[in-house]
Amino acid sequence: MFAVGADGSPTGAGPVPADLAAELAALLSSADDPGQPGAVQVLPRPTRQPGKVLLAGVGPGDEAGWRAAGAAVIRTVRPDEPLQIQLLAGVPADALRGLAEGLWLGGYRFRDAPKGPRTTEITIAAGESQAYGQSLETARVTAAATWLARDLANTPASVKNPAWFAEQVVAEAATRPGLTVTVREPEQLAAEGFGGILAVGGGSATPPRLLELSWDPGPASRHVVLVGKGITFDTGGLSIKTRDGMKLMKKDMSGAAAVVAATLGAADLRLPVRVTALAPLAENAVSGSAYRPGDVITQYDGSTTESTNSDAEGRLVLADALAYAVAELRPDVVLDLATLTGANSVALGKRTAALYSHDDALARSLAAAGEAAGERMWRLPLPDDYLDYLHSDIADRHSSPTRGAGSVVAALFLSEFLGDQLDRWAHLDMSAPSWAEQDDADLSQGATGWGTRTLLRWLPTA
Ligand code: BES
Ligand code: MN
Ligand code: ZN
């Protein structure tokens, strides 16, 4: 790939002139190595326009290599510098999707950041190809959905309470046909028996919600339910977190952000699959009305949970949403995405989600979609015998056993609520990859929007 930074050009971005294209082709044919993905060489042209040429490596030239190249190039140009990209003949359409995703995702900045938005104007010069148009449109929708998920998770919790989150989704949905949104408030949650959501949200000055967003492309398609953990801030509740443990907990709604963003993206792409996103939204706060260690909670399915640690709140709200999905929505597949346990990063490090499913084909298809999207996951087991870890003397189960395997046991807890849907369910514990400590290829420092891209790859195959 050639990336041409038209630095200071009075005409701004436009098609690459033929003589420059020829110069670039000569330069490239004399280079003896295609370049590592993400490596960028800057060649200054002090007396000519454009004022510099960037050569970006794409490694083996697969989609991931092009994505890395796009992200590296956008980080090399100034935020307002126009960029012209010359694609040589024969670049496949999926490479262009990777390139465009890399450019858009690597260029993301949180909209309220003091640095202000990027205004780089990007022109891609390439031969006529209809497949290119499709690739660019898919990449645009994917990047926009990921930006939305990042914006939601980066928004401070002083702004982002459950009602605010729901309002954002209502506003987004109103701009697209084929979407319906229902928001349940506490009275209705109580009337219908969402005891987990009410217990967790009960300590906050900003009461909980259950958000239901549906994309319906028309009859005769499969129905996928996506459940996302939506804790707008997790103090740990009365079992309060440490100061270090709490400082990033505005991101504890990243699962909800991803499922909502992917559902909006599915509508933008008019994917031929019915999708319902469910986001139980609550703030896990500390107050006189907070739920207490030792409380017994009646979940949506009528079963009871003994909560001995109010910091194990995510599973309580997800349990209600999963049980509701199974009882009322009768989907073909249920996935849930959640920043569920610190143990995710203990087991798998910073960039890998834990994947759980009893369905081998579903697990494989999700991992493949993640791989293609650049979001890694690794499957961990759901051993039946560990279900006794959940034993409680006073309720149907315990929420926070202390015998280790934190991420596995949390997944087993959720599995209790799937009923006859158990074999068509997968859970992604995405605590670790939901946040990037610093800029890293297509990730910008802060919320990563993890899961949005995987879901948009996976949904067409669901
Ligand atoms: N939201 C946290 C998990 C988390 C930790 C996400 C770090 C992202 C980064 C979750 O609600 C939690 O507190 N989990 C507890 C569970 C325990 C009390 C059984 C944990 O992981 O310590
Ligand atoms: Mn917690
Ligand atoms: Zn949490």
Side-chain angles (χ1 to χ4, degrees):
M1 173 181 61
F2 289 106
V4 184
D7 188 11
S9 159
T11 55
V16 177
D19 56 336
L20 179 57
E23 184 188 328
L24 293 175
L27 204 54
L28 192 68
S29 63
S30 68
D32 33 42
D33 157 357
Q36 289 304 305
V40 179
Q41 252 183 291
V42 182
L43 309 177
R45 304 167 88 238
T47 59
R48 284 172 296 164
Q49 291 296 339
K52 60 191 173 195
V53 169
L54 313 180
L55 288 180
V58 297
D62 57 357
E63 191 178 342
W66 282 86
R67 189 184 303 118
V73 164
I74 199 70
R75 288 186 197 291
T76 308
V77 301
R78 285 198 321 264
D80 58 347
E81 196 173 25
L83 175 68
Q84 297 174 61
I85 292 171
Q86 174 71 48
L87 288 188
L88 300 183
V91 172
D94 63 348
L96 183 61
R97 177 173 180 180
L99 169 66
E101 284 187 10
L103 287 164
W104 275 315
L105 293 174
Y108 169 83
R109 285 179 178 177
F110 180 46
R111 60 182 164 196
D112 291 341
K115 285 188 269 182
R118 259 180 191 282
T119 54
T120 298
E121 202 179 304
I122 303 172
T123 315
I124 299 183
E128 285 297 309
S129 162
Q130 210 190 330
Y132 279 2
Q134 281 237 314
S135 285
L136 275 182
E137 176 58 6
T138 310
R140 187 191 63 75
V141 169
T142 304
T146 307
W147 286 349
L148 174 66
R150 290 179 181 181
D151 278 348
L152 288 169
N154 281 325
T155 296
S158 54
V159 172
K160 177 180 54 187
N161 57 55
W164 180 91
F165 186 110
E167 276 163 29
Q168 306 307 300
V169 179
V170 168
E172 289 287 341
T175 66
R176 298 157 170 96
L179 290 167
T180 359
V181 195
T182 315
V183 181
R184 286 178 172 79
E185 301 196 0
E187 301 67 45
Q188 200 176 352
L189 293 171
E192 294 181 52
F194 289 94
I197 299 173
L198 288 166
V200 172
S204 174
T206 56
R209 298 283 188 270
L210 175 63
L211 174 82
E212 183 169 345
L213 167 69
S214 309
W215 156 242
D216 191 349
S221 66
R222 293 182 35 96
H223 184 197
V224 174
V225 171
L226 305 174
V227 178
K229 173 176 172 181
I231 299 298
T232 57
F233 193 80
D234 184 10
T235 63
L238 295 175
S239 317
I240 197 163
K241 287 185 180 293
T242 61
R243 76 181 79 137
D244 264 0
M246 204 188 297
K247 68 185 182 210
L248 285 181
M249 282 301 131
K250 69 174 184 181
K251 72 158 181 176
D252 210 17
M253 36 51 71
S254 298
V259 301
V260 159
T263 305
L264 296 169
D268 288 336
L269 295 171
R270 310 203 65 75
L271 297 183
V273 51
R274 196 175 144 209
V275 184
T276 303
L278 286 176
L281 301 165
E283 181 184 18
N284 190 21
V286 185
S287 80
S289 60
Y291 74 128
R292 291 149 292 257
D295 283 359
V296 174
I297 290 149
T298 304
Q299 307 266 186
Y300 182 84
D301 67 353
S303 71
T304 54
T305 301
E306 180 189 4
S307 163
T308 40
N309 184 334
S310 61
D311 201 8
E313 82 297 338
R315 62 198 75 187
L316 303 182
V317 302
L318 290 168
D320 281 358
L322 290 167
Y324 165 77
V326 171
E328 302 297 328
L329 305 177
R330 307 302 304 150
D332 298 295
V333 190
V334 182
L335 304 185
D336 74 79
L337 276 72
T339 48
L340 202 58
T341 70
N344 168 210
S345 58
V346 176
L348 296 169
K350 284 285 161 229
R351 288 278 180 274
T352 308
L355 160 65
Y356 299 89
S357 183
H358 288 297
D359 178 341
D360 293 342
L362 176 59
R364 265 197 305 275
S365 70
L366 280 168
E371 168 80 30
E375 295 180 326
R376 187 168 50 215
M377 57 189 83
W378 194 255
R379 192 175 179 189
L380 292 178
L382 287 165
D384 275 356
D385 51 318
Y386 289 12
L387 278 167
D388 352 310
Y389 288 23
L390 298 172
H391 173 80
S392 161
D393 288 325
I394 60 165
D396 292 320
R397 70 194 74 75
H398 197 289
S399 67
S400 48
T402 48
R403 290 202 264 159
S407 179
V408 173
V409 175
L412 283 166
F413 180 98
L414 299 181
S415 76
E416 295 261 283
F417 295 88
L418 272 298
D420 61 2
Q421 181 78 41
L422 182 59
D423 292 329
R424 288 166 294 148
W425 161 71
H427 159 60
L428 287 161
D429 187 344
M430 48 170 284
S431 309
S434 62
W435 194 263
E437 298 296 335
Q438 64 265 313
D439 288 358
D440 178 9
D442 47 64
L443 305 179
S444 301
Q445 188 281 327
T448 59
W450 194 94
T452 311
R453 287 191 267 164
T454 296
L455 290 173
L456 285 172
R457 296 258 173 180
W458 176 80
L459 281 170
T461 70

